Each structure stands twice: as structure tokens, then as C-alpha cells.
Amino acid sequence: MVFELPDNLHPDCAPVAWLLGRWGGRGKGDYPTIEPFEYAQELVFTHDGRPFFHYFARSWIVDADGEKVRDAAQEAGFLRCRPEGNLELVLAHSSGISEIWYGKAEVAKFELHTAGVGYTESAKEVTGGKRLYGTVNGDLLYAYDMAAMGQELQPHLWAQLERQ
């Protein structure tokens, strides 16, 4: 699917404009405190001309045939685009976690690191993370490393999504 640059895109958002739109696909997850799993996911990035994108993601656990087993995580927030490719992500999760992330956009990719994590008393203890997003042959690839539940920062999720 061809991506067209929006007319009202804020200049600070140009390095990550390729994210705009709806993405869908499958990924895998693993962590020492859980059983490995497969999931399907939908990501949506929208904008209104100001220097940020609204972000929403939802996922569901799938079986080996790709059939939905149950709903999984949701997250929503704002990817704030700053001058010179600098990025800030403000994110809230349905699981009771909120995070502040910082990073920098490069050509067709960016990496974010947590600057602060908060969680409700009923949420799992997440203490840090790293996210890598990139576009390869028109697909969105990402990886999420997490430090949680007394574990060191390590791979947790990875997926390949297609523009919808």
C-alpha cells in the first residue's frame, strides 16, 4: 500500500511520518515469568497537524492457526515529535502502567527508552523498557524489551505488521 505524506504534517513529525495509518499483523512474546505466546495486533497512528501523533494499540492472543484465543493488552498515548528528530512518548496501558519514553528518530527507524514508569497497586511491577521501531520493505517491525517482576531488561515482544 502506498503511503502519501499528509499536507498538514507538522515539520517536527517528518522523520516518523511513515508510521501514520493503521497497521496489523502478528508477533511473539516471551518472558521468564510467563509461557511463550503468539499474538495478533493492530496499531493506529493519527495526527491533526500539531507536533504529535495519537497512538492506540490493541492485541489478542492467538493459537497456532492464528485464531483468537482471548483479548490481550491495550495501550494508548501520544508520540510527541520534537526538533531534530527527538521523540517523547507518553503511554498508558490497560494493565495499570503508565510510562514516559525518550528517543531519537533515524532514517526509517527509532529507538525509545523509558525515563519513568508508574503503576497501580494491582499492576505488575515494570521498572524499565526499550522499544525499537523500523520500516523494512513497507512493513512495520518492532521489538520491546522489558524489565519487570525482578527481571533484568530483556526481550519480551517482537512483531511484523503490514499497513492496512
Side-chain angles (χ1 to χ4, degrees):
M1 179 177 283
V2 176
F3 171 73
E4 293 185 24
L5 201 61
D7 291 336
N8 66 338
L9 183 71
H10 191 282
D12 290 344
C13 295
V16 291
W18 55 269
L19 282 171
L20 287 170
R22 182 177 305 270
W23 301 86
R26 289 180 56 181
K28 295 183 183 229
D30 197 5
Y31 208 68
T33 59
I34 60 173
E35 292 295 320
F37 60 94
E38 292 188 32
Y39 65 98
Q41 187 170 43
E42 176 186 53
L43 304 182
V44 180
F45 290 90
T46 63
H47 81 104
D48 64 6
R50 293 181 283 175
F52 62 84
F53 294 166
H54 177 259
Y55 165 74
F56 174 74
R58 65 185 183 108
S59 58
W60 48 99
I61 304 300
V62 297
D63 63 21
D65 296 323
E67 296 298 318
K68 181 178 177 178
V69 174
R70 64 177 169 81
D71 288 316
Q74 292 187 21
E75 58 186 26
F78 298 92
L79 180 62
R80 296 167 41 87
C81 306
R82 310 291 299 145
E84 300 177 10
N86 292 306
L87 301 170
E88 304 168 348
L89 178 63
V90 180
L91 199 56
H93 301 260
S94 59
S95 59
I97 298 165
S98 62
E99 300 162 322
I100 303 295
W101 299 76
Y102 290 106
K104 187 165 181 82
E106 298 176 33
V107 175
K109 71 176 185 174
F110 62 95
E111 188 171 303
L112 300 165
H113 298 271
T114 49
V117 179
Y119 47 90
T120 64
E121 65 183 33
S122 63
K124 291 182 180 179
E125 180 187 11
V126 174
T127 56
K130 178 176 82 169
R131 291 178 180 229
L132 176 63
Y133 293 83
T135 181
V136 177
N137 296 325
D139 288 350
L140 171 60
L141 280 68
Y142 79 86
Y144 169 50
D145 294 356
M146 178 175 74
M149 307 300 291
Q151 303 291 316
E152 297 286 324
L153 184 69
Q154 58 192 285
H156 175 45
L157 303 172
W158 53 96
Q160 182 169 353
L161 310 176
E162 297 177 342
R163 190 175 295 280
Q164 305 290 295

Coordinates of all heavy atoms in Angstrom, one line a residue, residues 82-153:
R82 N 9.7 16.3 18.5 CA 10.5 17.5 18.8 C 11.5 17.8 17.7 O 11.7 17.0 16.8 CB 11.2 17.2 20.1 CG 10.3 16.7 21.3 CD 9.3 17.6 21.8 NE 10.1 18.8 22.4 CZ 9.7 20.0 22.3 NH1 8.5 20.3 21.8 NH2 10.4 21.0 22.8
P83 N 12.0 19.0 17.7 CA 13.0 19.3 16.7 C 14.2 18.3 16.6 O 14.5 17.7 17.6 CB 13.5 20.7 17.1 CG 12.4 21.3 17.9 CD 11.8 20.1 18.7
E84 N 14.8 18.2 15.4 CA 16.0 17.4 15.2 C 15.7 15.9 15.4 O 16.7 15.2 15.8 CB 17.2 17.9 16.0 CG 17.5 19.4 15.7 CD 18.6 19.9 16.5 OE1 19.3 19.1 17.3 OE2 18.9 21.1 16.5
G85 N 14.5 15.5 15.2 CA 14.2 14.0 15.4 C 14.1 13.5 16.8 O 13.9 12.3 17.0
N86 N 14.1 14.4 17.7 CA 13.9 13.9 19.1 C 12.4 13.5 19.3 O 11.5 14.2 18.8 CB 14.4 15.0 20.1 CG 15.9 15.2 20.1 OD1 16.6 14.2 20.2 ND2 16.3 16.4 19.9
L87 N 12.2 12.5 20.1 CA 10.9 12.0 20.4 C 10.6 11.8 21.9 O 11.5 11.5 22.6 CB 10.7 10.6 19.7 CG 10.9 10.6 18.2 CD1 11.0 9.1 17.7 CD2 9.8 11.3 17.5
E88 N 9.4 12.0 22.2 CA 8.9 11.7 23.6 C 7.6 10.9 23.4 O 6.8 11.2 22.5 CB 8.5 13.0 24.3 CG 9.6 14.0 24.4 CD 9.2 15.4 24.9 OE1 8.0 15.7 24.9 OE2 10.1 16.2 25.2
L89 N 7.4 9.9 24.2 CA 6.2 9.1 24.1 C 5.6 9.0 25.5 O 6.3 8.7 26.5 CB 6.6 7.6 23.7 CG 5.4 6.6 23.6 CD1 4.3 7.1 22.6 CD2 5.9 5.2 23.3
V90 N 4.3 9.4 25.6 CA 3.6 9.4 26.8 C 2.6 8.2 26.6 O 1.8 8.3 25.7 CB 2.8 10.7 27.1 CG1 2.0 10.6 28.3 CG2 3.8 11.8 27.1
L91 N 2.6 7.2 27.5 CA 1.9 6.0 27.2 C 1.2 5.5 28.4 O 1.7 5.5 29.5 CB 2.9 4.9 26.7 CG 2.4 3.7 26.0 CD1 1.6 4.1 24.7 CD2 3.6 2.8 25.6
A92 N -0.1 5.0 28.3 CA -0.9 4.4 29.3 C -1.4 3.0 28.9 O -1.8 2.9 27.7 CB -2.1 5.3 29.7
H93 N -1.3 2.0 29.7 CA -1.6 0.7 29.4 C -2.9 0.3 30.2 O -3.1 0.7 31.3 CB -0.5 -0.3 29.8 CG 0.8 0.0 29.2 ND1 1.2 -0.8 28.1 CD2 1.8 0.9 29.5 CE1 2.4 -0.3 27.8 NE2 2.8 0.7 28.6
S94 N -3.7 -0.6 29.6 CA -4.9 -1.1 30.2 C -4.6 -1.9 31.5 O -5.4 -2.1 32.3 CB -5.7 -2.0 29.2 OG -4.9 -3.1 28.8
S95 N -3.3 -2.4 31.6 CA -2.9 -3.2 32.7 C -2.5 -2.3 34.0 O -2.1 -2.9 35.0 CB -1.7 -4.0 32.3 OG -0.6 -3.2 31.9
G96 N -2.7 -1.0 33.9 CA -2.4 -0.1 35.0 C -1.0 0.5 35.1 O -0.6 1.0 36.1
I97 N -0.3 0.5 33.9 CA 1.0 1.0 33.9 C 1.0 2.3 33.0 O 0.3 2.4 32.0 CB 2.0 0.0 33.2 CG1 2.0 -1.3 34.1 CG2 3.4 0.5 33.0 CD1 2.6 -2.5 33.4
S98 N 1.8 3.3 33.4 CA 2.0 4.5 32.6 C 3.5 4.7 32.5 O 4.3 4.4 33.4 CB 1.3 5.7 33.2 OG 1.9 6.0 34.5
E99 N 3.9 5.2 31.3 CA 5.3 5.4 31.0 C 5.6 6.6 30.3 O 4.8 7.1 29.5 CB 5.8 4.2 30.2 CG 5.6 2.8 30.8 CD 5.7 1.7 29.8 OE1 5.2 1.9 28.7 OE2 6.2 0.7 30.1
I100 N 6.8 7.1 30.5 CA 7.4 8.2 29.7 C 8.6 7.7 29.0 O 9.5 7.0 29.7 CB 7.8 9.4 30.6 CG1 6.7 9.9 31.5 CG2 8.5 10.5 29.8 CD1 5.5 10.5 30.7
W101 N 8.7 7.9 27.7 CA 9.8 7.4 26.9 C 10.5 8.5 26.2 O 9.8 9.5 25.8 CB 9.3 6.4 25.9 CG 8.6 5.2 26.4 CD1 7.3 5.1 26.9 CD2 9.1 3.9 26.4 NE1 7.0 3.8 27.2 CE2 8.1 3.0 26.9 CE3 10.3 3.3 26.0 CZ2 8.2 1.7 27.0 CZ3 10.4 1.9 26.1 CH2 9.4 1.1 26.6
Y102 N 11.8 8.4 25.9 CA 12.6 9.3 25.1 C 13.4 8.6 24.1 O 13.8 7.4 24.3 CB 13.5 10.1 26.0 CG 12.9 11.1 26.9 CD1 12.8 10.9 28.3 CD2 12.3 12.3 26.4 CE1 12.2 11.8 29.1 CE2 11.7 13.2 27.3 CZ 11.6 12.9 28.6 OH 11.0 13.8 29.5
G103 N 13.5 9.2 22.9 CA 14.3 8.6 21.9 C 14.6 9.6 20.8 O 14.3 10.8 20.9
K104 N 15.2 9.1 19.7 CA 15.6 9.9 18.5 C 15.3 9.1 17.3 O 15.6 7.9 17.2 CB 17.0 10.3 18.6 CG 17.4 11.3 17.5 CD 18.7 11.9 17.8 CE 19.2 12.9 16.8 NZ 18.6 14.2 17.0
A105 N 14.7 9.8 16.3 CA 14.4 9.2 15.0 C 15.6 9.2 14.1 O 16.4 10.2 14.1 CB 13.2 9.9 14.3
E106 N 15.8 8.1 13.4 CA 16.9 8.0 12.4 C 16.2 7.7 11.1 O 14.9 7.7 11.1 CB 17.9 6.9 12.8 CG 18.6 7.2 14.1 CD 19.5 6.1 14.5 OE1 20.1 5.4 13.6 OE2 19.7 5.8 15.7
V107 N 16.9 7.4 10.1 CA 16.3 7.1 8.8 C 15.5 5.7 8.9 O 16.1 4.7 9.2 CB 17.3 6.9 7.7 CG1 16.7 6.5 6.4 CG2 18.0 8.3 7.5
A108 N 14.2 5.8 8.8 CA 13.3 4.6 8.8 C 13.3 3.8 10.1 O 12.9 2.7 10.1 CB 13.6 3.7 7.6
K109 N 13.8 4.4 11.2 CA 13.7 3.7 12.5 C 13.9 4.6 13.6 O 14.4 5.8 13.5 CB 14.8 2.6 12.5 CG 16.2 3.1 12.7 CD 17.2 2.0 12.8 CE 18.6 2.6 13.1 NZ 19.6 1.5 13.4
F110 N 13.5 4.2 14.8 CA 13.8 4.9 16.0 C 13.8 4.0 17.2 O 13.2 2.9 17.2 CB 12.8 6.1 16.2 CG 11.4 5.7 16.4 CD1 10.8 5.5 17.7 CD2 10.6 5.6 15.3 CE1 9.5 5.2 17.8 CE2 9.2 5.2 15.4 CZ 8.7 5.1 16.7
E111 N 14.5 4.4 18.2 CA 14.6 3.6 19.5 C 14.2 4.5 20.6 O 14.5 5.7 20.7 CB 16.0 3.1 19.7 CG 16.2 2.1 20.8 CD 17.6 1.5 20.8 OE1 18.0 0.9 19.8 OE2 18.2 1.7 21.9
L112 N 13.4 3.9 21.6 CA 12.9 4.7 22.7 C 13.4 3.9 24.0 O 13.4 2.7 24.0 CB 11.4 4.8 22.7 CG 10.8 5.5 21.5 CD1 9.3 5.2 21.5 CD2 11.0 7.0 21.6
H113 N 13.6 4.7 25.1 CA 14.0 4.2 26.4 C 13.1 4.8 27.4 O 12.8 6.0 27.3 CB 15.5 4.4 26.7 CG 16.4 3.8 25.7 ND1 16.9 2.5 25.9 CD2 16.9 4.3 24.6 CE1 17.7 2.2 24.9 NE2 17.7 3.3 24.1
T114 N 12.7 4.1 28.4 CA 11.9 4.6 29.5 C 12.7 5.6 30.3 O 13.9 5.4 30.6 CB 11.3 3.5 30.4 OG1 12.4 2.7 30.8 CG2 10.2 2.7 29.7
A115 N 12.0 6.7 30.7 CA 12.6 7.7 31.6 C 11.8 7.6 32.9 O 12.4 8.0 33.9 CB 12.5 9.1 31.0
G116 N 10.6 7.1 32.9 CA 9.9 6.9 34.1 C 8.7 5.9 33.9 O 8.1 5.9 32.8
V117 N 8.5 5.1 34.9 CA 7.4 4.1 34.9 C 6.6 4.3 36.2 O 7.1 4.3 37.2 CB 7.9 2.7 34.7 CG1 6.8 1.7 34.7 CG2 8.8 2.5 33.5
G118 N 5.3 4.3 36.0 CA 4.4 4.3 37.2 C 3.4 3.1 37.0 O 3.1 2.7 35.9
Y119 N 2.9 2.6 38.1 CA 2.0 1.5 38.0 C 1.0 1.5 39.2 O 1.4 1.9 40.3 CB 2.7 0.1 37.9 CG 3.8 -0.1 38.8 CD1 3.6 -0.7 40.1 CD2 5.1 0.3 38.5 CE1 4.6 -0.9 40.9 CE2 6.1 0.0 39.3 CZ 5.9 -0.6 40.6 OH 6.9 -0.8 41.4
T120 N -0.2 1.1 39.0 CA -1.2 1.0 40.1 C -0.8 -0.2 41.0 O 0.0 -1.0 40.7 CB -2.6 0.8 39.5 OG1 -2.6 -0.5 38.8 CG2 -3.0 1.9 38.5
E121 N -1.5 -0.2 42.1 CA -1.2 -1.3 43.1 C -1.6 -2.7 42.6 O -1.0 -3.7 43.0 CB -1.8 -1.0 44.5 CG -3.3 -1.0 44.5 CD -3.9 -0.7 45.8 OE1 -3.2 0.1 46.6 OE2 -4.9 -1.2 46.2
S122 N -2.5 -2.8 41.6 CA -2.9 -4.1 41.1 C -2.1 -4.4 39.8 O -2.3 -5.5 39.3 CB -4.4 -4.0 40.8 OG -4.7 -3.1 39.8
A123 N -1.2 -3.6 39.3 CA -0.5 -3.8 38.1 C 0.8 -4.6 38.4 O 1.3 -4.6 39.6 CB -0.1 -2.5 37.4
K124 N 1.4 -5.3 37.4 CA 2.7 -5.9 37.5 C 3.8 -4.8 37.7 O 3.6 -3.7 37.1 CB 3.0 -6.7 36.3 CG 2.2 -8.0 36.2 CD 2.6 -8.8 35.0 CE 1.7 -10.0 34.9 NZ 2.0 -10.9 33.8
E125 N 4.8 -5.1 38.4 CA 5.9 -4.2 38.6 C 6.8 -4.1 37.4 O 7.6 -5.0 37.2 CB 6.7 -4.5 39.8 CG 7.8 -3.6 40.1 CD 8.8 -4.0 41.2 OE1 8.7 -5.2 41.6 OE2 9.6 -3.2 41.6
V126 N 6.6 -3.1 36.6 CA 7.5 -2.8 35.4 C 8.4 -1.7 35.8 O 8.0 -0.7 36.3 CB 6.7 -2.5 34.2 CG1 7.6 -2.1 33.0 CG2 5.8 -3.6 33.8
T127 N 9.7 -1.9 35.6 CA 10.7 -0.9 36.0 C 11.4 -0.2 34.9 O 12.1 0.8 35.1 CB 11.7 -1.5 37.0 OG1 12.3 -2.6 36.4 CG2 11.0 -1.9 38.3
G128 N 11.3 -0.7 33.6 CA 12.0 -0.1 32.5 C 11.7 -0.8 31.2 O 11.2 -1.9 31.2
G129 N 12.1 -0.1 30.1 CA 11.9 -0.8 28.8 C 12.7 -0.1 27.7 O 13.2 1.0 27.9
K130 N 12.7 -0.8 26.6 CA 13.3 -0.3 25.4 C 12.5 -0.7 24.2 O 12.0 -1.9 24.2 CB 14.8 -0.8 25.2 CG 15.5 -0.4 23.9 CD 16.9 -0.8 23.9 CE 16.9 -2.2 23.4 NZ 18.3 -2.7 23.0
R131 N 12.2 0.2 23.3 CA 11.4 -0.2 22.1 C 12.2 0.3 20.9 O 12.7 1.3 20.8 CB 10.0 0.6 22.1 CG 9.1 0.1 23.2 CD 7.8 0.9 23.2 NE 6.9 0.5 24.2 CZ 5.6 0.2 24.0 NH1 5.1 0.4 22.8 NH2 4.9 -0.2 25.0
L132 N 12.1 -0.6 19.9 CA 12.8 -0.3 18.6 C 11.7 -0.5 17.5 O 11.1 -1.5 17.5 CB 13.9 -1.3 18.3 CG 14.6 -1.2 17.0 CD1 15.3 0.2 16.8 CD2 15.7 -2.3 16.8
Y133 N 11.5 0.5 16.7 CA 10.5 0.5 15.6 C 11.3 0.8 14.3 O 12.2 1.6 14.3 CB 9.5 1.6 15.8 CG 8.5 1.4 16.9 CD1 8.9 1.8 18.2 CD2 7.3 0.9 16.7 CE1 8.0 1.7 19.3 CE2 6.4 0.7 17.8 CZ 6.8 1.1 19.0 OH 5.9 1.0 20.1
G134 N 10.9 0.1 13.3 CA 11.6 0.4 12.0 C 10.7 -0.1 10.8 O 9.8 -0.9 11.0
T135 N 10.9 0.4 9.7 CA 10.2 0.0 8.5 C 11.1 -0.7 7.5 O 12.2 -0.2 7.2 CB 9.4 1.2 7.8 OG1 8.7 0.7 6.7 CG2 10.4 2.3 7.4
V136 N 10.7 -1.9 7.1 CA 11.5 -2.7 6.2 C 10.6 -3.2 5.1 O 9.6 -3.9 5.4 CB 12.2 -3.9 7.0 CG1 12.9 -4.8 6.0 CG2 13.1 -3.4 8.1
N137 N 10.9 -2.9 3.9 CA 10.1 -3.3 2.7 C 8.6 -2.9 2.9 O 7.7 -3.7 2.6 CB 10.2 -4.8 2.4 CG 11.6 -5.1 2.0 OD1 12.3 -4.4 1.4 ND2 12.1 -6.3 2.4
G138 N 8.3 -1.8 3.5 CA 7.0 -1.3 3.7 C 6.3 -1.8 5.0 O 5.2 -1.4 5.3
D139 N 6.9 -2.8 5.7 CA 6.3 -3.3 6.9 C 6.8 -2.6 8.1 O 7.9 -2.1 8.1 CB 6.6 -4.8 7.0 CG 5.8 -5.7 6.1 OD1 4.9 -5.2 5.4 OD2 6.1 -6.9 6.0
L140 N 6.1 -2.6 9.2 CA 6.5 -2.1 10.5 C 7.0 -3.3 11.3 O 6.2 -4.2 11.6 CB 5.3 -1.4 11.2 CG 5.6 -0.9 12.6 CD1 6.7 0.0 12.7 CD2 4.3 -0.3 13.1
L141 N 8.2 -3.2 11.7 CA 8.8 -4.2 12.6 C 9.1 -3.5 13.9 O 9.6 -2.3 14.0 CB 10.1 -4.8 12.0 CG 10.0 -5.8 11.0 CD1 9.4 -5.3 9.7 CD2 11.3 -6.5 10.7
Y142 N 8.8 -4.2 15.0 CA 9.2 -3.6 16.3 C 9.6 -4.7 17.3 O 9.2 -5.9 17.1 CB 8.1 -2.7 16.9 CG 6.9 -3.5 17.5 CD1 7.0 -3.9 18.9 CD2 5.8 -3.8 16.8 CE1 6.0 -4.6 19.5 CE2 4.8 -4.5 17.4 CZ 4.9 -4.9 18.7 OH 3.8 -5.6 19.3
A143 N 10.3 -4.3 18.3 CA 10.8 -5.2 19.4 C 10.6 -4.4 20.7 O 10.9 -3.2 20.7 CB 12.2 -5.6 19.2
Y144 N 10.2 -5.0 21.7 CA 10.0 -4.4 23.0 C 10.8 -5.2 24.1 O 10.5 -6.4 24.2 CB 8.5 -4.3 23.4 CG 8.2 -3.9 24.8 CD1 8.8 -2.8 25.4 CD2 7.3 -4.7 25.5 CE1 8.5 -2.5 26.7 CE2 7.0 -4.3 26.8 CZ 7.6 -3.2 27.4 OH 7.3 -2.9 28.7
D145 N 11.7 -4.6 24.7 CA 12.5 -5.2 25.8 C 11.9 -4.6 27.1 O 11.6 -3.4 27.1 CB 14.0 -5.0 25.7 CG 14.6 -5.6 24.5 OD1 13.9 -6.3 23.8 OD2 15.8 -5.4 24.3
M146 N 11.8 -5.5 28.1 CA 11.2 -5.0 29.4 C 12.0 -5.5 30.6 O 12.5 -6.6 30.6 CB 9.8 -5.6 29.4 CG 9.0 -5.3 30.7 SD 7.3 -6.0 30.6 CE 7.5 -7.7 30.8
A147 N 12.0 -4.7 31.6 CA 12.5 -5.1 32.9 C 11.3 -5.0 33.8 O 10.6 -4.0 34.0 CB 13.5 -4.1 33.4
A148 N 10.9 -6.2 34.4 CA 9.7 -6.3 35.2 C 9.8 -7.5 36.2 O 10.6 -8.4 35.9 CB 8.5 -6.5 34.4
M149 N 9.1 -7.4 37.2 CA 8.9 -8.6 38.2 C 10.3 -9.1 38.7 O 10.5 -10.3 38.8 CB 8.1 -9.7 37.5 CG 6.8 -9.3 36.9 SD 5.7 -8.6 38.1 CE 5.3 -10.0 39.1
G150 N 11.2 -8.1 38.9 CA 12.5 -8.5 39.4 C 13.5 -9.0 38.4 O 14.6 -9.4 38.7
Q151 N 13.1 -9.0 37.1 CA 13.9 -9.5 36.0 C 14.7 -8.3 35.4 O 14.2 -7.2 35.3 CB 13.1 -10.1 34.9 CG 12.2 -11.3 35.4 CD 13.1 -12.5 35.8 OE1 14.0 -12.9 35.1 NE2 12.8 -13.1 36.9
E152 N 15.9 -8.6 34.8 CA 16.7 -7.6 34.1 C 16.0 -7.3 32.8 O 15.2 -8.0 32.3 CB 18.1 -8.2 33.8 CG 18.9 -8.5 35.0 CD 19.4 -7.2 35.7 OE1 19.8 -6.3 35.0 OE2 19.5 -7.2 36.9
L153 N 16.4 -6.1 32.2 CA 15.9 -5.8 30.8 C 16.2 -6.9 29.8 O 17.4 -7.3 29.7 CB 16.5 -4.4 30.4 CG 16.0 -3.9 29.1 CD1 14.6 -3.4 29.2 CD2 17.0 -2.7 28.7

